[in-house]
Each structure stands twice: as structure tokens, then as C-alpha cells.
Amino acid sequence: MTISTLSTREKIISAAAALFYGEGIRSTSVDAISAKAGITKRTLYYHFNSKDELVEAYLLSRDQPTLDLYKRWFEKTPGSVDKKIEGIFREFGLAAQSPKWKGCGFLRTSAELAGTPGHPAIQAGAAHKKKFEAWLRDILADGGIDAPDDAARKILVLLDGAASVMLVHRDATYVDAAGAVAATLASKAR
Amino acid sequence: MTISTLSTREKIISAAAALFYGEGIRSTSVDAISAKAGITKRTLYYHFNSKDELVEAYLLSRDQPTLDLYKRWFEKTPGSVDKKIEGIFREFGLAAQSPKWKGCGFLRTSAELAGTPGHPAIQAGAAHKKKFEAWLRDILADGGIDAPDDAARKILVLLDGAASVMLVHRDATYVDAAGAVAATLASKAR
DNA sequence: GTCTATAAGCCGATAGAC
DNA sequence: GTCTATCGGCTTATAGAC
């Protein structure tokens, strides 16, 4: 998105990401993706062997941008680590109130593809969540929190739980409640 | 399932529930449901006006049985409320390790249908989650826990987070970690 | 590398008989 | 209330020209 001239492959992934996230995997046809990308279906199948491969590419393309977004939310909140962790939940709750927000793409894709356990996109989702958890652990360790591995794991569950409940109720007070628990987990004195 | 003679409508819902849960909503065809129910597609459309109506009926049929299951898990664990709450997570983690387990049907359906916000099945899922949260609150209030509304809400997020992460990693230690946090929330001294 | 055209089959839903 | 038969459209993926 930074450079106006995208390669054909990048245009395809960008179109696929928008549709897969907005409408779901099975609800999105290869026809719709190629139309949005401004190319033909045959060209799409020149760059990707199957729709499944395209789903995997979609999640791989969202890995780093998603990590960067949470990193920004963490850094923009002033104060100690627990306040910064709570800030992540606050920012997330605000973003998730928008009608454009349709849940965590990694969790939603894993949920939709749960019937086919070996799917490469599920592995891509798992890899992203592991990276996110490792980033949380590093943050907590830098802040001098005891047992950062354990705390990171618990905060990850709270964040993914907040995203899941938010998709059902569209009520940000659940996110705030989760953030309050996460803040106590990210404070040294407990 | 308790009586061997199911009505046609019940046979359809039972078949639909098994396929929707096992394979997902969009991946399940009306053809497959009628075949599994042992009736023709025309008969299915005599009892239900659309596939969407059938998806809603699937979640409505799982509401009470799901509440009963968690109630049993709570009651079978001895000790104080916090131990009983932790017992729910332990039992859930054990059940979720089975390959047959494919996540929380309510959350997975909400995730797959996130592209169509007004869908009746999403409302059915939200109603179920509200009932579950109310049951948690009553349990905590009976156990003498302070601010049971707040605690119930936080434990709900932890349980749904555990279900979501479990679907990605298939690692029950995440569920145990969530259960430990829930137990502290369900103890009077905190 | 991108195009037009189409294969081969599955989709949800319906008509009309009994 | 259940059946057989089928509609019209959409699905992923491919063949062959340029």
C-alpha cells in the first residue's frame, strides 16, 4: 500500500485479504477476488495453485502488519507495563466497535476451517499467535514481571476471548473487563 | 436421542447439527443434511423455509444441552466455588483434546457468519452466551463472591478465549492457564 | 503472463404428483 | 407430508490462443 504500483501477485493478495476478511473464506469466490484485483481468473491461477494456497497467503500477509499495530498501541500508552497492556485492550475495544471490524482474521479463519484440520492457513494462524505470544512475553520480561511466560499466555487468552465475545455481543465493556484482568497480571505485585 | 422415534423435524435438526458443527455452515450442503436425515430435500424445505432458518434451529437446539453439560462439570467438582470453576476449565480442556471437538459451536457460527451481521443464528448465539453468563453470575453470587456480575463477565471471556486458542493450538495448557485466572476471580479473598 | 472460453459438478430452492 | 425430477446459477479449476 506504500507504493502505488503493486505487482500482480500483491494485487491478488490484497483483494483476497479484503474479501476473505469481510465476507469469510467459503463465501468468497475466486471470481470475486480476480474481479476485485482487476485481472482474470486464469491469471490468478497462474500465481496460485489453489484457493487454499490463497487463504494461506492472506494470513501470512496479515502477520507482520497485525504485530505492528499492537506494538503501536502498546507504545502510545504512557505509564508502566500494566498500564500499557491495559492500553492495548482499550485501543482494541475502540477499534472493534467499528462496523468494519469483523473479528480477528486469524481466529475467524481457524474457526471456519476447523473441519479441515490440516489446512495450511490454520498453521499460518498458529504461527502468528505464537509470535504474538512471544512478543507479549518479551514486553513483560522487559518490564520486570515475574513468570513472563505464564503471564503472556494468560493475557493472550484474554485478548482472544475479548475478540470472540466482541463478535457475538458487539459490547466493548467485555473488552474493558478483560483488560482489567490483564493489567493485574502485568503488575509485579500480585 | 433419549427416545428412539424422532419426528421428521427433529431428525433434520439432529443431522444438521452434526454436519454444521463438524464441517462448518457454508461447507455443509442442504443435500448432505437431507441425506443424513434419511429424507428428501423437498421434505426438508417443507419443514424449514431456508437454510438460514436451519442454522438458527441448530444453535437453538444446542442451547440447553450445552448449559446442562457445564452445570454437570461444575457440580461434579468438589470443594469451594473457585475449585468448582477451575473444575469446569479442567473438564473442558480434557473434552477439547478429542479430535471430535471442533470448538464452541456458537462462537464458530458467529465467526463464519460475521459477514452477515443480521443473521438470526448470530442472535441465537448471543442469547445463549447471555444465559451462560447469567448462570455463572448466579453460581458466584451463591458462593458469596463479591461483585458476581463483574466476575462472571471476566470468567466468560476467559472460557471463550480458551476455546478460541484451543482451536488454533490444540494445547490444553492454555485452558489450564485460563482456569487458574478464573479461579482467582472466583475466590472471595482477592 | 495475461487473455477468452468452458469444463464438470455442486449450490439452494421449487414444481407438481400422490 | 413425502416423493421424483429439475431449474438456473454459481463453484473451482483448466485448455489453448496470444
PDB file of all heavy atoms in Angstrom, chain B residues 27-63:
ATOM      1  N   SER B  27     -19.822 -25.035   4.337  1.00  0.00           N
ATOM      2  CA  SER B  27     -19.313 -26.289   3.787  1.00  0.00           C
ATOM      3  C   SER B  27     -20.356 -27.397   3.800  1.00  0.00           C
ATOM      4  O   SER B  27     -20.150 -28.435   3.179  1.00  0.00           O
ATOM      5  CB  SER B  27     -18.080 -26.750   4.570  1.00  0.00           C
ATOM      6  OG  SER B  27     -17.019 -25.839   4.409  1.00  0.00           O
ATOM      7  N   THR B  28     -21.425 -27.189   4.527  1.00  0.00           N
ATOM      8  CA  THR B  28     -22.478 -28.201   4.622  1.00  0.00           C
ATOM      9  C   THR B  28     -23.601 -27.873   3.648  1.00  0.00           C
ATOM     10  O   THR B  28     -24.198 -26.797   3.716  1.00  0.00           O
ATOM     11  CB  THR B  28     -23.039 -28.266   6.053  1.00  0.00           C
ATOM     12  OG1 THR B  28     -22.008 -28.676   6.941  1.00  0.00           O
ATOM     13  CG2 THR B  28     -24.195 -29.248   6.131  1.00  0.00           C
ATOM     14  N   SER B  29     -23.924 -28.797   2.747  1.00  0.00           N
ATOM     15  CA  SER B  29     -24.990 -28.564   1.777  1.00  0.00           C
ATOM     16  C   SER B  29     -26.314 -29.092   2.313  1.00  0.00           C
ATOM     17  O   SER B  29     -26.347 -29.999   3.152  1.00  0.00           O
ATOM     18  CB  SER B  29     -24.665 -29.247   0.455  1.00  0.00           C
ATOM     19  OG  SER B  29     -24.731 -30.647   0.599  1.00  0.00           O
ATOM     20  N   VAL B  30     -27.388 -28.525   1.820  1.00  0.00           N
ATOM     21  CA  VAL B  30     -28.715 -28.993   2.191  1.00  0.00           C
ATOM     22  C   VAL B  30     -28.911 -30.436   1.708  1.00  0.00           C
ATOM     23  O   VAL B  30     -29.575 -31.237   2.370  1.00  0.00           O
ATOM     24  CB  VAL B  30     -29.795 -28.062   1.608  1.00  0.00           C
ATOM     25  CG1 VAL B  30     -31.185 -28.554   1.941  1.00  0.00           C
ATOM     26  CG2 VAL B  30     -29.606 -26.646   2.124  1.00  0.00           C
ATOM     27  N   ASP B  31     -28.288 -30.771   0.601  1.00  0.00           N
ATOM     28  CA  ASP B  31     -28.307 -32.150   0.110  1.00  0.00           C
ATOM     29  C   ASP B  31     -27.743 -33.105   1.161  1.00  0.00           C
ATOM     30  O   ASP B  31     -28.329 -34.153   1.450  1.00  0.00           O
ATOM     31  CB  ASP B  31     -27.478 -32.266  -1.178  1.00  0.00           C
ATOM     32  CG  ASP B  31     -28.277 -31.926  -2.417  1.00  0.00           C
ATOM     33  OD1 ASP B  31     -29.277 -32.617  -2.670  1.00  0.00           O
ATOM     34  OD2 ASP B  31     -27.911 -30.980  -3.108  1.00  0.00           O
ATOM     35  N   ALA B  32     -26.598 -32.745   1.720  1.00  0.00           N
ATOM     36  CA  ALA B  32     -25.947 -33.612   2.705  1.00  0.00           C
ATOM     37  C   ALA B  32     -26.797 -33.764   3.961  1.00  0.00           C
ATOM     38  O   ALA B  32     -26.873 -34.857   4.541  1.00  0.00           O
ATOM     39  CB  ALA B  32     -24.574 -33.041   3.064  1.00  0.00           C
ATOM     40  N   ILE B  33     -27.446 -32.685   4.372  1.00  0.00           N
ATOM     41  CA  ILE B  33     -28.301 -32.746   5.574  1.00  0.00           C
ATOM     42  C   ILE B  33     -29.483 -33.682   5.341  1.00  0.00           C
ATOM     43  O   ILE B  33     -29.780 -34.546   6.170  1.00  0.00           O
ATOM     44  CB  ILE B  33     -28.796 -31.331   5.954  1.00  0.00           C
ATOM     45  CG1 ILE B  33     -27.623 -30.446   6.380  1.00  0.00           C
ATOM     46  CG2 ILE B  33     -29.816 -31.419   7.093  1.00  0.00           C
ATOM     47  CD1 ILE B  33     -27.968 -28.971   6.502  1.00  0.00           C
ATOM     48  N   SER B  34     -30.172 -33.525   4.201  1.00  0.00           N
ATOM     49  CA  SER B  34     -31.343 -34.378   3.953  1.00  0.00           C
ATOM     50  C   SER B  34     -30.929 -35.836   3.799  1.00  0.00           C
ATOM     51  O   SER B  34     -31.645 -36.733   4.260  1.00  0.00           O
ATOM     52  CB  SER B  34     -32.122 -33.881   2.730  1.00  0.00           C
ATOM     53  OG  SER B  34     -31.266 -33.436   1.718  1.00  0.00           O
ATOM     54  N   ALA B  35     -29.767 -36.080   3.188  1.00  0.00           N
ATOM     55  CA  ALA B  35     -29.288 -37.457   3.053  1.00  0.00           C
ATOM     56  C   ALA B  35     -29.018 -38.069   4.427  1.00  0.00           C
ATOM     57  O   ALA B  35     -29.419 -39.211   4.699  1.00  0.00           O
ATOM     58  CB  ALA B  35     -28.018 -37.485   2.199  1.00  0.00           C
ATOM     59  N   LYS B  36     -28.353 -37.312   5.299  1.00  0.00           N
ATOM     60  CA  LYS B  36     -28.037 -37.824   6.629  1.00  0.00           C
ATOM     61  C   LYS B  36     -29.297 -38.034   7.461  1.00  0.00           C
ATOM     62  O   LYS B  36     -29.366 -38.958   8.279  1.00  0.00           O
ATOM     63  CB  LYS B  36     -27.093 -36.858   7.362  1.00  0.00           C
ATOM     64  CG  LYS B  36     -26.495 -37.439   8.649  1.00  0.00           C
ATOM     65  CD  LYS B  36     -25.526 -36.451   9.303  1.00  0.00           C
ATOM     66  CE  LYS B  36     -24.957 -37.001  10.608  1.00  0.00           C
ATOM     67  NZ  LYS B  36     -23.977 -38.075  10.393  1.00  0.00           N
ATOM     68  N   ALA B  37     -30.313 -37.188   7.230  1.00  0.00           N
ATOM     69  CA  ALA B  37     -31.580 -37.303   7.968  1.00  0.00           C
ATOM     70  C   ALA B  37     -32.453 -38.422   7.406  1.00  0.00           C
ATOM     71  O   ALA B  37     -33.451 -38.805   8.030  1.00  0.00           O
ATOM     72  CB  ALA B  37     -32.333 -35.973   7.920  1.00  0.00           C
ATOM     73  N   GLY B  38     -32.090 -38.938   6.230  1.00  0.00           N
ATOM     74  CA  GLY B  38     -32.869 -40.023   5.625  1.00  0.00           C
ATOM     75  C   GLY B  38     -34.177 -39.554   5.007  1.00  0.00           C
ATOM     76  O   GLY B  38     -35.138 -40.313   4.917  1.00  0.00           O
ATOM     77  N   ILE B  39     -34.223 -38.321   4.562  1.00  0.00           N
ATOM     78  CA  ILE B  39     -35.413 -37.782   3.889  1.00  0.00           C
ATOM     79  C   ILE B  39     -34.960 -37.050   2.623  1.00  0.00           C
ATOM     80  O   ILE B  39     -33.763 -36.909   2.379  1.00  0.00           O
ATOM     81  CB  ILE B  39     -36.196 -36.809   4.809  1.00  0.00           C
ATOM     82  CG1 ILE B  39     -35.245 -35.767   5.435  1.00  0.00           C
ATOM     83  CG2 ILE B  39     -36.905 -37.568   5.916  1.00  0.00           C
ATOM     84  CD1 ILE B  39     -35.403 -34.391   4.935  1.00  0.00           C
ATOM     85  N   THR B  40     -35.902 -36.593   1.830  1.00  0.00           N
ATOM     86  CA  THR B  40     -35.528 -35.866   0.616  1.00  0.00           C
ATOM     87  C   THR B  40     -35.445 -34.374   0.919  1.00  0.00           C
ATOM     88  O   THR B  40     -35.941 -33.878   1.931  1.00  0.00           O
ATOM     89  CB  THR B  40     -36.558 -36.069  -0.515  1.00  0.00           C
ATOM     90  OG1 THR B  40     -37.798 -35.495  -0.117  1.00  0.00           O
ATOM     91  CG2 THR B  40     -36.710 -37.547  -0.831  1.00  0.00           C
ATOM     92  N   LYS B  41     -34.794 -33.698  -0.006  1.00  0.00           N
ATOM     93  CA  LYS B  41     -34.583 -32.272   0.165  1.00  0.00           C
ATOM     94  C   LYS B  41     -35.924 -31.522   0.184  1.00  0.00           C
ATOM     95  O   LYS B  41     -36.087 -30.532   0.896  1.00  0.00           O
ATOM     96  CB  LYS B  41     -33.686 -31.762  -0.967  1.00  0.00           C
ATOM     97  CG  LYS B  41     -33.067 -30.444  -0.699  1.00  0.00           C
ATOM     98  CD  LYS B  41     -31.816 -30.211  -1.532  1.00  0.00           C
ATOM     99  CE  LYS B  41     -31.996 -30.514  -2.999  1.00  0.00           C
ATOM    100  NZ  LYS B  41     -30.837 -29.983  -3.783  1.00  0.00           N
ATOM    101  N   ARG B  42     -36.874 -32.029  -0.612  1.00  0.00           N
ATOM    102  CA  ARG B  42     -38.187 -31.372  -0.660  1.00  0.00           C
ATOM    103  C   ARG B  42     -38.889 -31.417   0.701  1.00  0.00           C
ATOM    104  O   ARG B  42     -39.558 -30.465   1.115  1.00  0.00           O
ATOM    105  CB  ARG B  42     -39.079 -32.036  -1.720  1.00  0.00           C
ATOM    106  CG  ARG B  42     -40.340 -31.246  -2.010  1.00  0.00           C
ATOM    107  CD  ARG B  42     -39.978 -29.916  -2.622  1.00  0.00           C
ATOM    108  NE  ARG B  42     -41.141 -29.020  -2.745  1.00  0.00           N
ATOM    109  CZ  ARG B  42     -41.584 -28.238  -1.774  1.00  0.00           C
ATOM    110  NH1 ARG B  42     -41.009 -28.261  -0.592  1.00  0.00           N
ATOM    111  NH2 ARG B  42     -42.611 -27.440  -1.972  1.00  0.00           N
ATOM    112  N   THR B  43     -38.723 -32.520   1.410  1.00  0.00           N
ATOM    113  CA  THR B  43     -39.311 -32.648   2.754  1.00  0.00           C
ATOM    114  C   THR B  43     -38.646 -31.683   3.728  1.00  0.00           C
ATOM    115  O   THR B  43     -39.303 -31.070   4.574  1.00  0.00           O
ATOM    116  CB  THR B  43     -39.170 -34.097   3.246  1.00  0.00           C
ATOM    117  OG1 THR B  43     -39.850 -34.957   2.360  1.00  0.00           O
ATOM    118  CG2 THR B  43     -39.718 -34.260   4.647  1.00  0.00           C
ATOM    119  N   LEU B  44     -37.334 -31.558   3.586  1.00  0.00           N
ATOM    120  CA  LEU B  44     -36.631 -30.588   4.435  1.00  0.00           C
ATOM    121  C   LEU B  44     -37.196 -29.191   4.233  1.00  0.00           C
ATOM    122  O   LEU B  44     -37.455 -28.473   5.207  1.00  0.00           O
ATOM    123  CB  LEU B  44     -35.134 -30.617   4.107  1.00  0.00           C
ATOM    124  CG  LEU B  44     -34.213 -29.745   4.960  1.00  0.00           C
ATOM    125  CD1 LEU B  44     -32.828 -30.386   5.070  1.00  0.00           C
ATOM    126  CD2 LEU B  44     -34.054 -28.338   4.401  1.00  0.00           C
ATOM    127  N   TYR B  45     -37.452 -28.831   2.975  1.00  0.00           N
ATOM    128  CA  TYR B  45     -37.972 -27.488   2.697  1.00  0.00           C
ATOM    129  C   TYR B  45     -39.462 -27.372   3.037  1.00  0.00           C
ATOM    130  O   TYR B  45     -40.013 -26.273   3.006  1.00  0.00           O
ATOM    131  CB  TYR B  45     -37.701 -27.111   1.232  1.00  0.00           C
ATOM    132  CG  TYR B  45     -36.310 -26.534   1.047  1.00  0.00           C
ATOM    133  CD1 TYR B  45     -35.305 -27.281   0.448  1.00  0.00           C
ATOM    134  CD2 TYR B  45     -35.999 -25.261   1.500  1.00  0.00           C
ATOM    135  CE1 TYR B  45     -34.032 -26.765   0.296  1.00  0.00           C
ATOM    136  CE2 TYR B  45     -34.734 -24.743   1.347  1.00  0.00           C
ATOM    137  CZ  TYR B  45     -33.751 -25.486   0.745  1.00  0.00           C
ATOM    138  OH  TYR B  45     -32.488 -24.981   0.592  1.00  0.00           O
ATOM    139  N   TYR B  46     -40.088 -28.492   3.343  1.00  0.00           N
ATOM    140  CA  TYR B  46     -41.453 -28.412   3.869  1.00  0.00           C
ATOM    141  C   TYR B  46     -41.396 -27.962   5.336  1.00  0.00           C
ATOM    142  O   TYR B  46     -42.242 -27.193   5.798  1.00  0.00           O
ATOM    143  CB  TYR B  46     -42.158 -29.763   3.749  1.00  0.00           C
ATOM    144  CG  TYR B  46     -43.509 -29.794   4.427  1.00  0.00           C
ATOM    145  CD1 TYR B  46     -44.638 -29.286   3.800  1.00  0.00           C
ATOM    146  CD2 TYR B  46     -43.637 -30.313   5.712  1.00  0.00           C
ATOM    147  CE1 TYR B  46     -45.870 -29.288   4.432  1.00  0.00           C
ATOM    148  CE2 TYR B  46     -44.868 -30.321   6.351  1.00  0.00           C
ATOM    149  CZ  TYR B  46     -45.985 -29.813   5.708  1.00  0.00           C
ATOM    150  OH  TYR B  46     -47.205 -29.813   6.340  1.00  0.00           O
ATOM    151  N   HIS B  47     -40.378 -28.419   6.066  1.00  0.00           N
ATOM    152  CA  HIS B  47     -40.275 -28.105   7.496  1.00  0.00           C
ATOM    153  C   HIS B  47     -39.516 -26.801   7.770  1.00  0.00           C
ATOM    154  O   HIS B  47     -39.714 -26.196   8.828  1.00  0.00           O
ATOM    155  CB  HIS B  47     -39.593 -29.266   8.227  1.00  0.00           C
ATOM    156  CG  HIS B  47     -40.431 -30.496   8.304  1.00  0.00           C
ATOM    157  ND1 HIS B  47     -41.429 -30.668   9.231  1.00  0.00           N
ATOM    158  CD2 HIS B  47     -40.440 -31.619   7.544  1.00  0.00           C
ATOM    159  CE1 HIS B  47     -42.005 -31.846   9.062  1.00  0.00           C
ATOM    160  NE2 HIS B  47     -41.430 -32.445   8.033  1.00  0.00           N
ATOM    161  N   PHE B  48     -38.646 -26.406   6.859  1.00  0.00           N
ATOM    162  CA  PHE B  48     -37.875 -25.169   7.045  1.00  0.00           C
ATOM    163  C   PHE B  48     -37.917 -24.347   5.764  1.00  0.00           C
ATOM    164  O   PHE B  48     -37.812 -24.897   4.678  1.00  0.00           O
ATOM    165  CB  PHE B  48     -36.424 -25.487   7.414  1.00  0.00           C
ATOM    166  CG  PHE B  48     -36.284 -26.220   8.722  1.00  0.00           C
ATOM    167  CD1 PHE B  48     -36.247 -27.607   8.742  1.00  0.00           C
ATOM    168  CD2 PHE B  48     -36.218 -25.531   9.933  1.00  0.00           C
ATOM    169  CE1 PHE B  48     -36.140 -28.296   9.950  1.00  0.00           C
ATOM    170  CE2 PHE B  48     -36.117 -26.211  11.132  1.00  0.00           C
ATOM    171  CZ  PHE B  48     -36.071 -27.604  11.149  1.00  0.00           C
ATOM    172  N   ASN B  49     -38.052 -23.052   5.929  1.00  0.00           N
ATOM    173  CA  ASN B  49     -38.177 -22.183   4.759  1.00  0.00           C
ATOM    174  C   ASN B  49     -36.850 -21.935   4.049  1.00  0.00           C
ATOM    175  O   ASN B  49     -36.831 -21.612   2.870  1.00  0.00           O
ATOM    176  CB  ASN B  49     -38.781 -20.834   5.168  1.00  0.00           C
ATOM    177  CG  ASN B  49     -40.247 -20.966   5.531  1.00  0.00           C
ATOM    178  OD1 ASN B  49     -40.998 -21.651   4.832  1.00  0.00           O
ATOM    179  ND2 ASN B  49     -40.645 -20.342   6.622  1.00  0.00           N
ATOM    180  N   SER B  50     -35.743 -22.041   4.778  1.00  0.00           N
ATOM    181  CA  SER B  50     -34.448 -21.742   4.168  1.00  0.00           C
ATOM    182  C   SER B  50     -33.342 -22.412   4.973  1.00  0.00           C
ATOM    183  O   SER B  50     -33.557 -22.883   6.099  1.00  0.00           O
ATOM    184  CB  SER B  50     -34.206 -20.236   4.143  1.00  0.00           C
ATOM    185  OG  SER B  50     -34.089 -19.746   5.464  1.00  0.00           O
ATOM    186  N   LYS B  51     -32.163 -22.439   4.390  1.00  0.00           N
ATOM    187  CA  LYS B  51     -31.000 -22.968   5.095  1.00  0.00           C
ATOM    188  C   LYS B  51     -30.682 -22.098   6.314  1.00  0.00           C
ATOM    189  O   LYS B  51     -30.312 -22.614   7.374  1.00  0.00           O
ATOM    190  CB  LYS B  51     -29.797 -23.018   4.142  1.00  0.00           C
ATOM    191  CG  LYS B  51     -28.552 -23.637   4.753  1.00  0.00           C
ATOM    192  CD  LYS B  51     -27.371 -23.606   3.779  1.00  0.00           C
ATOM    193  CE  LYS B  51     -26.125 -24.196   4.418  1.00  0.00           C
ATOM    194  NZ  LYS B  51     -24.961 -24.169   3.496  1.00  0.00           N
ATOM    195  N   ASP B  52     -30.839 -20.784   6.154  1.00  0.00           N
ATOM    196  CA  ASP B  52     -30.571 -19.868   7.272  1.00  0.00           C
ATOM    197  C   ASP B  52     -31.433 -20.210   8.492  1.00  0.00           C
ATOM    198  O   ASP B  52     -30.957 -20.172   9.632  1.00  0.00           O
ATOM    199  CB  ASP B  52     -30.842 -18.416   6.844  1.00  0.00           C
ATOM    200  CG  ASP B  52     -29.734 -17.875   5.951  1.00  0.00           C
ATOM    201  OD1 ASP B  52     -28.630 -18.448   5.963  1.00  0.00           O
ATOM    202  OD2 ASP B  52     -29.970 -16.891   5.239  1.00  0.00           O
ATOM    203  N   GLU B  53     -32.694 -20.542   8.237  1.00  0.00           N
ATOM    204  CA  GLU B  53     -33.593 -20.908   9.332  1.00  0.00           C
ATOM    205  C   GLU B  53     -33.094 -22.171  10.029  1.00  0.00           C
ATOM    206  O   GLU B  53     -33.224 -22.321  11.247  1.00  0.00           O
ATOM    207  CB  GLU B  53     -34.991 -21.146   8.747  1.00  0.00           C
ATOM    208  CG  GLU B  53     -36.132 -20.637   9.600  1.00  0.00           C
ATOM    209  CD  GLU B  53     -37.468 -20.815   8.890  1.00  0.00           C
ATOM    210  OE1 GLU B  53     -37.808 -19.927   8.076  1.00  0.00           O
ATOM    211  OE2 GLU B  53     -38.162 -21.818   9.121  1.00  0.00           O
ATOM    212  N   LEU B  54     -32.515 -23.068   9.244  1.00  0.00           N
ATOM    213  CA  LEU B  54     -31.988 -24.321   9.784  1.00  0.00           C
ATOM    214  C   LEU B  54     -30.748 -24.073  10.648  1.00  0.00           C
ATOM    215  O   LEU B  54     -30.532 -24.752  11.662  1.00  0.00           O
ATOM    216  CB  LEU B  54     -31.656 -25.257   8.617  1.00  0.00           C
ATOM    217  CG  LEU B  54     -31.527 -26.753   8.856  1.00  0.00           C
ATOM    218  CD1 LEU B  54     -32.634 -27.301   9.724  1.00  0.00           C
ATOM    219  CD2 LEU B  54     -31.485 -27.470   7.518  1.00  0.00           C
ATOM    220  N   VAL B  55     -29.938 -23.108  10.255  1.00  0.00           N
ATOM    221  CA  VAL B  55     -28.759 -22.757  11.048  1.00  0.00           C
ATOM    222  C   VAL B  55     -29.189 -22.224  12.416  1.00  0.00           C
ATOM    223  O   VAL B  55     -28.633 -22.591  13.448  1.00  0.00           O
ATOM    224  CB  VAL B  55     -27.890 -21.713  10.312  1.00  0.00           C
ATOM    225  CG1 VAL B  55     -26.689 -21.335  11.160  1.00  0.00           C
ATOM    226  CG2 VAL B  55     -27.431 -22.254   8.968  1.00  0.00           C
ATOM    227  N   GLU B  56     -30.222 -21.380  12.405  1.00  0.00           N
ATOM    228  CA  GLU B  56     -30.750 -20.852  13.658  1.00  0.00           C
ATOM    229  C   GLU B  56     -31.283 -21.997  14.537  1.00  0.00           C
ATOM    230  O   GLU B  56     -30.993 -22.054  15.740  1.00  0.00           O
ATOM    231  CB  GLU B  56     -31.870 -19.839  13.377  1.00  0.00           C
ATOM    232  CG  GLU B  56     -32.433 -19.202  14.636  1.00  0.00           C
ATOM    233  CD  GLU B  56     -33.686 -18.370  14.347  1.00  0.00           C
ATOM    234  OE1 GLU B  56     -34.261 -18.524  13.250  1.00  0.00           O
ATOM    235  OE2 GLU B  56     -34.082 -17.585  15.221  1.00  0.00           O
ATOM    236  N   ALA B  57     -32.036 -22.915  13.915  1.00  0.00           N
ATOM    237  CA  ALA B  57     -32.594 -24.050  14.667  1.00  0.00           C
ATOM    238  C   ALA B  57     -31.488 -24.911  15.272  1.00  0.00           C
ATOM    239  O   ALA B  57     -31.632 -25.456  16.376  1.00  0.00           O
ATOM    240  CB  ALA B  57     -33.483 -24.895  13.751  1.00  0.00           C
ATOM    241  N   TYR B  58     -30.378 -25.032  14.561  1.00  0.00           N
ATOM    242  CA  TYR B  58     -29.220 -25.794  15.068  1.00  0.00           C
ATOM    243  C   TYR B  58     -28.723 -25.201  16.380  1.00  0.00           C
ATOM    244  O   TYR B  58     -28.569 -25.920  17.380  1.00  0.00           O
ATOM    245  CB  TYR B  58     -28.129 -25.823  13.992  1.00  0.00           C
ATOM    246  CG  TYR B  58     -26.706 -25.871  14.481  1.00  0.00           C
ATOM    247  CD1 TYR B  58     -26.264 -26.848  15.384  1.00  0.00           C
ATOM    248  CD2 TYR B  58     -25.763 -24.951  14.021  1.00  0.00           C
ATOM    249  CE1 TYR B  58     -24.939 -26.885  15.817  1.00  0.00           C
ATOM    250  CE2 TYR B  58     -24.454 -24.981  14.446  1.00  0.00           C
ATOM    251  CZ  TYR B  58     -24.047 -25.942  15.346  1.00  0.00           C
ATOM    252  OH  TYR B  58     -22.741 -25.984  15.779  1.00  0.00           O
ATOM    253  N   LEU B  59     -28.499 -23.880  16.406  1.00  0.00           N
ATOM    254  CA  LEU B  59     -27.974 -23.256  17.635  1.00  0.00           C
ATOM    255  C   LEU B  59     -29.008 -23.288  18.758  1.00  0.00           C
ATOM    256  O   LEU B  59     -28.658 -23.520  19.924  1.00  0.00           O
ATOM    257  CB  LEU B  59     -27.512 -21.831  17.353  1.00  0.00           C
ATOM    258  CG  LEU B  59     -26.212 -21.696  16.556  1.00  0.00           C
ATOM    259  CD1 LEU B  59     -25.705 -20.263  16.600  1.00  0.00           C
ATOM    260  CD2 LEU B  59     -25.130 -22.641  17.073  1.00  0.00           C
ATOM    261  N   LEU B  60     -30.282 -23.057  18.424  1.00  0.00           N
ATOM    262  CA  LEU B  60     -31.326 -23.122  19.451  1.00  0.00           C
ATOM    263  C   LEU B  60     -31.367 -24.516  20.084  1.00  0.00           C
ATOM    264  O   LEU B  60     -31.584 -24.648  21.296  1.00  0.00           O
ATOM    265  CB  LEU B  60     -32.693 -22.772  18.841  1.00  0.00           C
ATOM    266  CG  LEU B  60     -32.888 -21.313  18.422  1.00  0.00           C
ATOM    267  CD1 LEU B  60     -34.234 -21.123  17.716  1.00  0.00           C
ATOM    268  CD2 LEU B  60     -32.799 -20.372  19.631  1.00  0.00           C
ATOM    269  N   SER B  61     -31.137 -25.550  19.275  1.00  0.00           N
ATOM    270  CA  SER B  61     -31.185 -26.923  19.802  1.00  0.00           C
ATOM    271  C   SER B  61     -29.999 -27.239  20.704  1.00  0.00           C
ATOM    272  O   SER B  61     -30.040 -28.179  21.492  1.00  0.00           O
ATOM    273  CB  SER B  61     -31.225 -27.932  18.648  1.00  0.00           C
ATOM    274  OG  SER B  61     -29.922 -28.128  18.108  1.00  0.00           O
ATOM    275  N   ARG B  62     -28.933 -26.481  20.586  1.00  0.00           N
ATOM    276  CA  ARG B  62     -27.730 -26.741  21.397  1.00  0.00           C
ATOM    277  C   ARG B  62     -27.680 -25.892  22.667  1.00  0.00           C
ATOM    278  O   ARG B  62     -26.794 -26.093  23.512  1.00  0.00           O
ATOM    279  CB  ARG B  62     -26.447 -26.470  20.574  1.00  0.00           C
ATOM    280  CG  ARG B  62     -26.265 -27.358  19.357  1.00  0.00           C
ATOM    281  CD  ARG B  62     -26.416 -28.826  19.681  1.00  0.00           C
ATOM    282  NE  ARG B  62     -25.540 -29.259  20.783  1.00  0.00           N
ATOM    283  CZ  ARG B  62     -25.732 -30.310  21.549  1.00  0.00           C
ATOM    284  NH1 ARG B  62     -26.799 -31.059  21.392  1.00  0.00           N
ATOM    285  NH2 ARG B  62     -24.888 -30.620  22.515  1.00  0.00           N
ATOM    286  N   ASP B  63     -28.589 -24.957  22.813  1.00  0.00           N
ATOM    287  CA  ASP B  63     -28.580 -24.045  23.963  1.00  0.00           C
ATOM    288  C   ASP B  63     -28.676 -24.792  25.290  1.00  0.00           C
ATOM    289  O   ASP B  63     -27.733 -24.778  26.089  1.00  0.00           O
ATOM    290  CB  ASP B  63     -29.751 -23.044  23.817  1.00  0.00           C
ATOM    291  CG  ASP B  63     -29.925 -22.153  25.035  1.00  0.00           C
ATOM    292  OD1 ASP B  63     -28.914 -21.586  25.490  1.00  0.00           O
ATOM    293  OD2 ASP B  63     -31.052 -22.015  25.515  1.00  0.00           O
TER     294      ASP B  63
END
